[in-house]
Amino acid sequence: MKLSTAGESHGKCLVGIIEGLPSNLDIDIDEINYYLALRQSGYGRGGRQKIERDKVEILSGVRNLKTLASPLAFVIKNADYENWRGVMAPEGCDVSSKTLTKVRPGHADLTGMKKYAQSDARNILERASARETASRVVAGSIARQYLRALGVKISGYVKSVCGIEDNGNYTFFQIEKAKDSPLFMLDKEAESKAVKKIDSLKEAGDTAGGVIEIRINGLKSGFGSCMQYYSKLDAVLCGALMSVQAIKGVEVGLGFGCAYKEGSAVHDGIYPENGKYVRKTNNAGGIEGGMSNGEEIVLRAAMKPIPTLMKGLETIDYATGLPCTAAAERSDVCAVCAAEIVLESVAAFALADVVSKRLGGDNMQEVIKRYAGLED
C-alpha cells in the first residue's frame, strides 16, 4: 500500500491518495471522522481546533461503502482557508501581509528556507505543519479497518506529559478506554497533575511534550523479515512513527531499558503450551529478528515540546540577520493526544502495507482466507 499526501496548513484542503487496497473492504466513514475528531481533541489544544471540524470526503476508489481496488482519493477541506485566502490563494494573493522571517527554533523554518531558496518561512511551514497529519489519520483509519477484518487491533495511551508519568501496567482492553480521558491517560492522579502542569505552562507561554505507547494486538507471527534490513518489522514501524512531526525517539518493548539489564533479565523465555510456543514475558515488544512473534507489539514514542512558544525563543530575523524573538504563530500548549491518534494511524498504515505484501490478494475475501490459514 502507498499513501501520497498534498496540501498546506492554511491552503484550500488536504488531499490523499491510497494505492494498493484490495476490493470489497467495508469502509466506515463515520469511524474515519471519529478519529479525525479525536486528533483535534485533548487538553492543551489551541484555537485552530475551534475553527476546523475535520471531515473526510472520499472522491474515488469506493462505491457503496466498499473499496473497488482502484486508487482511493480523499480530501479534507480547511475551513480556515477563507480567513487566509488573501495570502494563500494559488491563483494569486498578497504574500507580504503574512511573511514570516523571524524563524522559530525547532521548526523547519530556517533549514527549509535555505534548502528551497525561499525568503519567506511561510512557504516552508505551511507544508511542514502538523496539520498534514490529518491526511495520515484518514489513511490510518482505513488501514485500521483492513487490519480489523483480520482480527488485528491497534490502540494506545499517553504514558507521560512533561515528566509526569503513568507507570501502570495495563491490558489491551484497559488502554482502549484511554480516549475517554482529557489527556488519554489511565492513571487519574497522574492525569490531574499533568492538567495542572499544562495550565501553568500556558500561563508562562511555554509548551509540553510527552511519551505515547502504541499497542498492536492479534497479529500472527512472521510479519516482517530477517532477510533484508529494510524489511524488518521494527524498522518499518519505527520509521513510520519517526516520520510524525515532533517525534524524537522510538522504542520497541523494553527498548532503551535493555541497555541497563543483563541478558537473563531481558530475553523472553519460550515454553511449550497445548501444542504451541508461548512467552511469559514480552520484553521484546512482540518483535524478534525483525519479525512479529505473535505477542502483542509494544511501541513507544517521545514527543518533544511544541517549538512554537507564545513567549518566543531567541533567534534571528532571516531578512536582516539580526537577533530577535521568534514569531509566535497560533499554537497548542500540549498536543500529546493528537500525536497519540496520529501514531496509531501511521502504525496501522505501515503494518497494513507489511501485511498486504505477505498476503497479497486482490479482494478482501482472498486476504481474510490467507490470513486465517497462517500459523499463529
Side-chain angles (χ1 to χ4, degrees):
M1 295 182 192
K2 177 184 176 183
L3 169 66
S4 298
T5 69
E8 286 73 46
S9 179
H10 295 97
K12 292 183 178 181
C13 61
L14 302 174
V15 178
I17 298 177
I18 305 173
E19 300 175 65
L21 286 168
S23 67
N24 298 331
L25 171 64
D26 293 317
I27 298 297
D28 186 335
I29 295 175
D30 289 339
E31 182 178 319
I32 298 172
N33 288 330
Y34 166 76
Y35 283 107
L36 283 173
L38 278 179
R39 176 192 164 276
Q40 295 186 281
S41 70
Y43 198 79
R45 300 306 303 276
R48 180 75 186 270
Q49 312 315 316
K50 298 177 183 178
I51 298 172
E52 304 293 352
R53 289 292 185 268
D54 290 341
K55 301 285 185 182
V56 68
E57 180 182 355
I58 296 178
L59 304 177
S60 69
V62 174
R63 184 184 184 209
N64 194 30
L65 300 178
K66 288 184 180 290
T67 56
L68 302 173
S70 55
L72 189 157
F74 64 85
V75 64
I76 307 166
K77 294 179 181 177
N78 288 331
D80 208 12
Y81 175 67
E82 290 307 314
N83 300 320
W84 286 74
R85 182 188 294 272
V87 294
M88 289 298 297
E91 301 84 2
C93 60
D94 177 14
V95 298
S96 63
S97 64
K98 284 287 187 178
T99 297
L100 192 152
T101 59
K102 295 178 180 179
V103 293
R104 301 162 301 165
H107 276 284
D109 297 358
L110 178 58
T111 303
M113 290 172 76
K114 293 164 65 177
K115 177 178 174 64
Y116 295 106
Q118 299 289 342
S119 58
D120 181 0
R122 187 156 305 285
N123 292 336
I124 306 302
L125 67 90
E126 286 286 334
R127 179 58 183 167
S129 167
R131 176 79 183 135
E132 177 266 349
T133 60
S135 296
R136 290 200 269 174
V137 169
V138 173
S141 299
I142 292 170
R144 189 193 300 265
Q145 293 174 31
Y146 168 89
L147 293 168
R148 193 170 58 237
L150 308 178
V152 180
K153 295 182 179 180
I154 297 179
S155 193
Y157 71 107
V158 173
K159 278 192 68 68
S160 74
V161 174
C162 204
I164 298 170
E165 296 188 69
D166 180 344
N167 292 312
N169 293 312
Y170 305 110
T171 65
F172 187 85
F173 175 75
Q174 288 174 311
I175 67 171
E176 287 189 299
K177 299 179 180 180
K179 309 300 189 297
D180 297 331
S181 300
L183 276 172
F184 295 2
M185 297 179 82
L186 294 166
D187 183 324
K188 297 309 170 190
E189 183 177 350
E191 185 173 63
S192 178
K193 291 179 181 178
V195 165
K196 292 178 182 177
K197 178 68 174 180
I198 291 170
D199 288 342
S200 67
L201 291 172
K202 182 177 181 179
E203 188 172 335
D206 218 327
T207 59
V211 175
I212 295 144
E213 181 168 298
I214 304 297
R215 304 260 198 95
I216 301 171
N217 181 272
L219 183 67
K220 294 184 177 183
S221 65
F223 287 92
S225 175
C226 61
M227 299 303 179
Q228 291 287 0
Y229 65 91
Y230 50 78
S231 299
K232 293 177 181 288
L233 182 60
D234 40 4
V236 172
L237 292 176
C238 290
L241 268 56
M242 283 296 296
S243 75
V244 175
Q245 291 87 331
I247 299 303
K248 301 300 287 184
V250 177
E251 65 179 8
V252 181
L254 189 57
F256 284 94
C258 293
Y260 299 92
K261 296 178 179 289
E262 60 274 15
S264 58
V266 170
H267 302 294
D268 306 307
I270 303 171
Y271 307 90
E273 185 177 284
N274 299 323
K276 296 183 178 181
Y277 304 114
V278 299
R279 295 162 180 81
K280 297 179 181 179
T281 57
N282 190 25
N283 292 328
I287 302 175
E288 291 176 304
M291 299 169 288
S292 60
N293 64 13
E295 300 295 323
E296 197 166 271
I297 292 177
V298 181
L299 308 166
R300 282 179 219 94
M303 179 190 186
K304 70 180 181 181
I306 295 165
T308 296
L309 276 65
M310 290 300 102
K311 66 180 181 180
L313 293 171
E314 293 180 356
T315 187
I316 59 98
D317 188 325
Y318 194 73
T320 66
L322 298 176
C324 66
T325 300
E329 288 277 296
R330 182 174 54 207
S331 177
D332 303 317
V333 177
C334 180
V336 288
C337 292
E340 195 281 325
I341 296 300
V342 175
L343 291 171
E344 281 188 31
S345 300
V346 299
F349 195 85
L351 180 59
D353 179 49
V354 171
V355 170
S356 68
K357 284 177 179 175
R358 184 181 184 192
L359 298 180
D362 294 312
N363 58 71
M364 282 304 296
Q365 293 91 325
E366 290 178 347
V367 174
I368 293 170
K369 182 177 180 180
R370 291 174 185 179
Y371 187 76
L374 296 177
E375 185 177 350
D376 290 337

mmCIF file of all heavy atoms in Angstrom, residues 14 20 26-27 43 77 91 96 116-117 159 161 176-178 188 201 235 238 272 318 338-339 344 351:
data_model
loop_
_atom_site.group_PDB
_atom_site.id
_atom_site.type_symbol
_atom_site.label_atom_id
_atom_site.label_comp_id
_atom_site.label_asym_id
_atom_site.label_seq_id
_atom_site.Cartn_x
_atom_site.Cartn_y
_atom_site.Cartn_z
ATOM 1 N N LEU A 14 -6.549 19.483 2.346
ATOM 2 C CA LEU A 14 -5.559 18.409 2.392
ATOM 3 C C LEU A 14 -6.062 17.289 1.493
ATOM 4 O O LEU A 14 -7.258 16.998 1.461
ATOM 5 C CB LEU A 14 -5.386 17.895 3.820
ATOM 6 C CG LEU A 14 -4.968 18.931 4.864
ATOM 7 C CD1 LEU A 14 -4.984 18.301 6.249
ATOM 8 C CD2 LEU A 14 -3.594 19.500 4.550
ATOM 9 N N GLY A 20 -3.207 0.399 -3.629
ATOM 10 C CA GLY A 20 -2.921 -0.952 -3.168
ATOM 11 C C GLY A 20 -3.962 -1.582 -2.284
ATOM 12 O O GLY A 20 -3.760 -2.710 -1.798
ATOM 13 N N ASP A 26 -14.941 -3.102 3.521
ATOM 14 C CA ASP A 26 -16.003 -2.236 4.022
ATOM 15 C C ASP A 26 -15.403 -0.963 4.610
ATOM 16 O O ASP A 26 -14.499 -1.033 5.455
ATOM 17 C CB ASP A 26 -16.823 -2.958 5.089
ATOM 18 C CG ASP A 26 -17.624 -4.119 4.519
ATOM 19 O OD1 ASP A 26 -18.209 -3.954 3.438
ATOM 20 O OD2 ASP A 26 -17.648 -5.191 5.158
ATOM 21 N N ILE A 27 -15.897 0.185 4.180
ATOM 22 C CA ILE A 27 -15.389 1.468 4.652
ATOM 23 C C ILE A 27 -16.432 2.145 5.534
ATOM 24 O O ILE A 27 -17.561 2.388 5.104
ATOM 25 C CB ILE A 27 -15.027 2.391 3.465
ATOM 26 C CG1 ILE A 27 -13.913 1.777 2.625
ATOM 27 C CG2 ILE A 27 -14.631 3.773 3.972
ATOM 28 C CD1 ILE A 27 -12.596 1.600 3.351
ATOM 29 N N TYR A 43 -6.535 17.862 26.131
ATOM 30 C CA TYR A 43 -6.308 19.050 26.937
ATOM 31 C C TYR A 43 -5.030 19.759 26.488
ATOM 32 O O TYR A 43 -4.005 19.127 26.257
ATOM 33 C CB TYR A 43 -6.181 18.669 28.413
ATOM 34 C CG TYR A 43 -6.375 19.826 29.356
ATOM 35 C CD1 TYR A 43 -7.652 20.279 29.669
ATOM 36 C CD2 TYR A 43 -5.289 20.487 29.915
ATOM 37 C CE1 TYR A 43 -7.846 21.357 30.528
ATOM 38 C CE2 TYR A 43 -5.464 21.558 30.775
ATOM 39 C CZ TYR A 43 -6.746 21.996 31.068
ATOM 40 O OH TYR A 43 -6.927 23.060 31.911
ATOM 41 N N LYS A 77 -11.271 19.431 3.711
ATOM 42 C CA LYS A 77 -11.276 20.867 3.450
ATOM 43 C C LYS A 77 -10.815 21.636 4.685
ATOM 44 O O LYS A 77 -11.146 21.282 5.815
ATOM 45 C CB LYS A 77 -12.672 21.319 3.026
ATOM 46 C CG LYS A 77 -13.104 20.740 1.690
ATOM 47 C CD LYS A 77 -14.511 21.193 1.307
ATOM 48 C CE LYS A 77 -14.918 20.583 -0.030
ATOM 49 N NZ LYS A 77 -16.306 20.945 -0.402
ATOM 50 N N GLU A 91 -4.111 31.115 -7.033
ATOM 51 C CA GLU A 91 -4.417 31.918 -8.216
ATOM 52 C C GLU A 91 -3.778 33.306 -8.170
ATOM 53 O O GLU A 91 -3.796 34.042 -9.161
ATOM 54 C CB GLU A 91 -5.942 32.081 -8.352
ATOM 55 C CG GLU A 91 -6.714 30.777 -8.469
ATOM 56 C CD GLU A 91 -7.017 30.129 -7.135
ATOM 57 O OE1 GLU A 91 -6.661 30.710 -6.082
ATOM 58 O OE2 GLU A 91 -7.614 29.027 -7.131
ATOM 59 N N SER A 96 2.880 39.379 1.096
ATOM 60 C CA SER A 96 3.630 40.240 2.010
ATOM 61 C C SER A 96 2.964 40.394 3.370
ATOM 62 O O SER A 96 3.642 40.625 4.381
ATOM 63 C CB SER A 96 3.827 41.623 1.390
ATOM 64 O OG SER A 96 2.577 42.272 1.189
ATOM 65 N N TYR A 116 15.281 25.421 0.057
ATOM 66 C CA TYR A 116 14.401 25.667 -1.080
ATOM 67 C C TYR A 116 14.472 27.102 -1.603
ATOM 68 O O TYR A 116 13.621 27.529 -2.378
ATOM 69 C CB TYR A 116 12.954 25.299 -0.703
ATOM 70 C CG TYR A 116 12.800 23.818 -0.435
ATOM 71 C CD1 TYR A 116 12.658 23.339 0.865
ATOM 72 C CD2 TYR A 116 12.831 22.898 -1.478
ATOM 73 C CE1 TYR A 116 12.533 21.975 1.112
ATOM 74 C CE2 TYR A 116 12.705 21.538 -1.232
ATOM 75 C CZ TYR A 116 12.557 21.089 0.063
ATOM 76 O OH TYR A 116 12.443 19.734 0.302
ATOM 77 N N ALA A 117 15.510 27.831 -1.181
ATOM 78 C CA ALA A 117 15.776 29.183 -1.691
ATOM 79 C C ALA A 117 14.550 30.091 -1.540
ATOM 80 O O ALA A 117 14.087 30.701 -2.500
ATOM 81 C CB ALA A 117 16.227 29.133 -3.154
ATOM 82 N N LYS A 159 1.563 7.943 28.197
ATOM 83 C CA LYS A 159 2.262 7.460 29.390
ATOM 84 C C LYS A 159 2.806 8.598 30.245
ATOM 85 O O LYS A 159 2.956 8.449 31.462
ATOM 86 C CB LYS A 159 3.434 6.548 28.988
ATOM 87 C CG LYS A 159 3.025 5.120 28.681
ATOM 88 C CD LYS A 159 4.216 4.196 28.573
ATOM 89 C CE LYS A 159 4.927 3.993 29.886
ATOM 90 N NZ LYS A 159 4.110 3.219 30.868
ATOM 91 N N VAL A 161 3.380 13.215 30.465
ATOM 92 C CA VAL A 161 3.297 14.577 29.941
ATOM 93 C C VAL A 161 4.288 15.430 30.721
ATOM 94 O O VAL A 161 4.175 15.563 31.946
ATOM 95 C CB VAL A 161 1.881 15.158 30.072
ATOM 96 C CG1 VAL A 161 1.858 16.628 29.655
ATOM 97 C CG2 VAL A 161 0.886 14.358 29.247
ATOM 98 N N GLU A 176 -7.799 0.631 25.698
ATOM 99 C CA GLU A 176 -8.817 1.059 24.737
ATOM 100 C C GLU A 176 -9.767 2.091 25.344
ATOM 101 O O GLU A 176 -10.459 2.804 24.620
ATOM 102 C CB GLU A 176 -9.607 -0.153 24.228
ATOM 103 C CG GLU A 176 -8.822 -1.028 23.260
ATOM 104 C CD GLU A 176 -9.684 -2.093 22.611
ATOM 105 O OE1 GLU A 176 -10.228 -2.928 23.358
ATOM 106 O OE2 GLU A 176 -9.820 -2.087 21.381
ATOM 107 N N LYS A 177 -9.782 2.199 26.682
ATOM 108 C CA LYS A 177 -10.659 3.154 27.347
ATOM 109 C C LYS A 177 -9.995 4.501 27.576
ATOM 110 O O LYS A 177 -10.622 5.427 28.110
ATOM 111 C CB LYS A 177 -11.110 2.569 28.684
ATOM 112 C CG LYS A 177 -11.897 1.265 28.562
ATOM 113 C CD LYS A 177 -12.291 0.725 29.929
ATOM 114 C CE LYS A 177 -13.080 -0.573 29.800
ATOM 115 N NZ LYS A 177 -13.464 -1.118 31.133
ATOM 116 N N ALA A 178 -8.730 4.633 27.180
ATOM 117 C CA ALA A 178 -7.981 5.862 27.467
ATOM 118 C C ALA A 178 -8.581 7.085 26.783
ATOM 119 O O ALA A 178 -8.451 8.213 27.283
ATOM 120 C CB ALA A 178 -6.526 5.687 27.046
ATOM 121 N N LYS A 188 -5.531 8.426 36.919
ATOM 122 C CA LYS A 188 -6.241 9.699 37.100
ATOM 123 C C LYS A 188 -5.451 10.696 37.943
ATOM 124 O O LYS A 188 -5.545 11.910 37.729
ATOM 125 C CB LYS A 188 -7.616 9.449 37.734
ATOM 126 C CG LYS A 188 -8.520 8.600 36.845
ATOM 127 C CD LYS A 188 -8.572 9.166 35.433
ATOM 128 C CE LYS A 188 -9.251 8.234 34.466
ATOM 129 N NZ LYS A 188 -9.101 8.678 33.061
ATOM 130 N N LEU A 201 2.024 25.990 32.279
ATOM 131 C CA LEU A 201 2.829 26.256 31.084
ATOM 132 C C LEU A 201 2.132 27.254 30.165
ATOM 133 O O LEU A 201 2.778 28.118 29.567
ATOM 134 C CB LEU A 201 3.107 24.955 30.337
ATOM 135 C CG LEU A 201 4.052 23.969 31.035
ATOM 136 C CD1 LEU A 201 4.072 22.642 30.271
ATOM 137 C CD2 LEU A 201 5.457 24.539 31.134
ATOM 138 N N ALA A 235 11.953 -1.956 12.026
ATOM 139 C CA ALA A 235 12.462 -0.826 11.247
ATOM 140 C C ALA A 235 11.329 -0.092 10.532
ATOM 141 O O ALA A 235 11.290 1.144 10.487
ATOM 142 C CB ALA A 235 13.491 -1.311 10.225
ATOM 143 N N CYS A 238 9.031 1.627 13.350
ATOM 144 C CA CYS A 238 9.717 2.752 13.993
ATOM 145 C C CYS A 238 9.934 3.898 13.013
ATOM 146 O O CYS A 238 9.835 5.073 13.387
ATOM 147 C CB CYS A 238 11.048 2.295 14.580
ATOM 148 S SG CYS A 238 10.871 1.215 16.019
ATOM 149 N N PRO A 272 6.596 -24.577 25.781
ATOM 150 C CA PRO A 272 5.512 -25.283 25.087
ATOM 151 C C PRO A 272 4.220 -25.216 25.885
ATOM 152 O O PRO A 272 4.231 -25.308 27.114
ATOM 153 C CB PRO A 272 6.044 -26.722 25.012
ATOM 154 C CG PRO A 272 6.923 -26.855 26.217
ATOM 155 C CD PRO A 272 7.540 -25.499 26.437
ATOM 156 N N TYR A 318 15.655 36.367 9.456
ATOM 157 C CA TYR A 318 16.332 35.943 8.229
ATOM 158 C C TYR A 318 16.478 37.095 7.237
ATOM 159 O O TYR A 318 17.410 37.115 6.420
ATOM 160 C CB TYR A 318 15.552 34.800 7.581
ATOM 161 C CG TYR A 318 16.299 34.043 6.512
ATOM 162 C CD1 TYR A 318 17.323 33.166 6.854
ATOM 163 C CD2 TYR A 318 15.975 34.191 5.167
ATOM 164 C CE1 TYR A 318 18.008 32.453 5.878
ATOM 165 C CE2 TYR A 318 16.656 33.485 4.182
ATOM 166 C CZ TYR A 318 17.669 32.622 4.552
ATOM 167 O OH TYR A 318 18.352 31.925 3.580
ATOM 168 N N ALA A 338 -3.284 14.413 20.305
ATOM 169 C CA ALA A 338 -3.280 14.414 18.845
ATOM 170 C C ALA A 338 -2.194 13.489 18.321
ATOM 171 O O ALA A 338 -2.416 12.691 17.401
ATOM 172 C CB ALA A 338 -3.065 15.829 18.317
ATOM 173 N N ALA A 339 -1.011 13.577 18.930
ATOM 174 C CA ALA A 339 0.100 12.727 18.496
ATOM 175 C C ALA A 339 -0.226 11.253 18.701
ATOM 176 O O ALA A 339 0.150 10.409 17.874
ATOM 177 C CB ALA A 339 1.368 13.096 19.253
ATOM 178 N N GLU A 344 -1.028 6.029 16.249
ATOM 179 C CA GLU A 344 -1.843 4.838 15.973
ATOM 180 C C GLU A 344 -2.070 4.700 14.466
ATOM 181 O O GLU A 344 -2.001 3.601 13.909
ATOM 182 C CB GLU A 344 -3.200 4.945 16.673
ATOM 183 C CG GLU A 344 -3.206 4.634 18.146
ATOM 184 C CD GLU A 344 -4.628 4.570 18.705
ATOM 185 O OE1 GLU A 344 -5.549 4.173 17.936
ATOM 186 O OE2 GLU A 344 -4.824 4.891 19.883
ATOM 187 N N LEU A 351 1.766 -1.092 9.077
ATOM 188 C CA LEU A 351 1.537 -2.523 9.289
ATOM 189 C C LEU A 351 0.663 -3.108 8.183
ATOM 190 O O LEU A 351 0.913 -4.226 7.710
ATOM 191 C CB LEU A 351 0.887 -2.757 10.649
ATOM 192 C CG LEU A 351 0.601 -4.218 10.993
ATOM 193 C CD1 LEU A 351 1.883 -5.050 10.994
ATOM 194 C CD2 LEU A 351 -0.104 -4.325 12.350
#
